[in-house]
Amino acid sequence: MSEADRPSALIPPRRRLLKAGFALMTLAVTPLGMAQGASRILAVRVWPSQDYTRITLEGAGNLKYSHQIVKDPERLVLDLEGVEFDSVLQSLPEKISETDPYVRLIRAGRNRPGVVRIVVELKSEISPQIFTLPPAGSYGPRLVMDLYPNEPVDPLLAWMEKTARPDASEPPRSVANANREPAPKPEKRRNDSAPMITITLDPGHGGEDPGAIGARGTYEKTVTLAVAKRLKAKIDAEPNMRAMLTRDADFFVPLGQRVEKARRVQADLFVSIHADAFIKPQARGSSVFILSDRGATSTAARWLANKENAADLIGGVNIGVSDSHLAKTLLDLSQTATLNDSMKAAKAVLDEIGSVNQLHKGDVEEASFAVLKAPDIPSMLVETAFISNPDEEKRLNDEAYQERLADAMLRGIKRYFAKNPPLARTRRA
């Protein structure tokens, strides 16, 4: 076993120090620009989550690689061919957080002429998905390492464990109130004669995919998560209601997996939350959409749907992994009952949001949003405001406005279920 392959804990401290010094001298004597035909790594990004950890290498050109899993201890070894060992790769170790559930540490170095080796020391056995992505959005060519646990996280069990923790649904607090003790939660009451209503909240975008970006630099993914957490806390405080988030932190979730998570918990309603941009900064107002199997109801609806459906291209999905429910989803899109329920729920939410913000359209709109294609769950997509409008971007960053939005959405959801209880629909096995 060469020292490049050894776990860092097994290399004597004196030897590591000498190696680091020698590498620095080599870099000082041999300018990186002298490497003939070598490509550069422009950025390294790491997105840890309970579902998986994603490591992304963005290159100036296409990246050629090979990889292997090494046992005892568990490591993922990645060799990059024709790549410069530069300051970006040297910064790899600081990218890993101690709280990362799957990665212990990461390091890189020259393995042999023209080859940079990256070693990822793991906390447990993983099943890696490694693939390349062509340029998309503001990103150049990317090499993606998705590190999934050998035993996949069960969304239902993970959600149940989180809901059992008292702090799992705490809404975000401002910096000024960060040190203040949160008010005690009221004891959740359950009326045993009524069914438990399960709602899946889907904060749009995340991780590699920032979504729309406002003029002041606000990321859509940040706003949607903040609003979703506030709404979750309010739903969880209601008797006979509970909410599950498709993501509870800043990481990427493919569109198909968002739908699958809702189906795994047998959700009674799916609400995707967004704050999109439009080609005109004057565009403003809130909107609510449901799935259309006929076509978009407006030019803006078609434009937004196309933009949201491209999220997987920006965030990066391994196209070699098939969706087991894709065929069923496409086959059952004509389920009239689900679309009718979606319209009822969307109208109730739209009416309530209209008391908080002006509406972009007075009626529920329809478009072919991929994230709404659950064949058996009433689904809606809420555009809270246009982040491309400077005034609305400012409001979306305001905690009081986020609270009012969450309150309005909750009122609409409760109105819908008051007239359409879950027992009125056939439950899934």
Side-chain angles (χ1 to χ4, degrees), residues 54-75:
R54 166 168 288 195
I55 303 172
T56 302
L57 306 176
E58 183 179 357
N62 294 329
L63 298 173
K64 186 177 181 181
Y65 71 96
S66 61
H67 76 279
Q68 60 180 316
I69 292 289
V70 180
K71 298 289 186 180
D72 301 322
E74 294 288 324
R75 282 160 288 155

Side-chain angles (χ1 to χ4, degrees), residues 84 106 123 136-137 155 189 198 320 340 344 362 369-370 384:
E84 297 175 357
I106 187 171
K123 294 181 178 179
R189 305 177 308 280
T198 301
N340 286 342
K344 293 175 185 177
F369 288 93
T384 55

Side-chain angles (χ1 to χ4, degrees), residues 289 295-307 365-368:
F289 295 84
T297 50
S298 70
T299 301
R302 185 181 303 108
W303 190 87
L304 289 171
N306 289 338
K307 188 170 181 294
E365 294 202 73
E366 300 177 41
S368 296

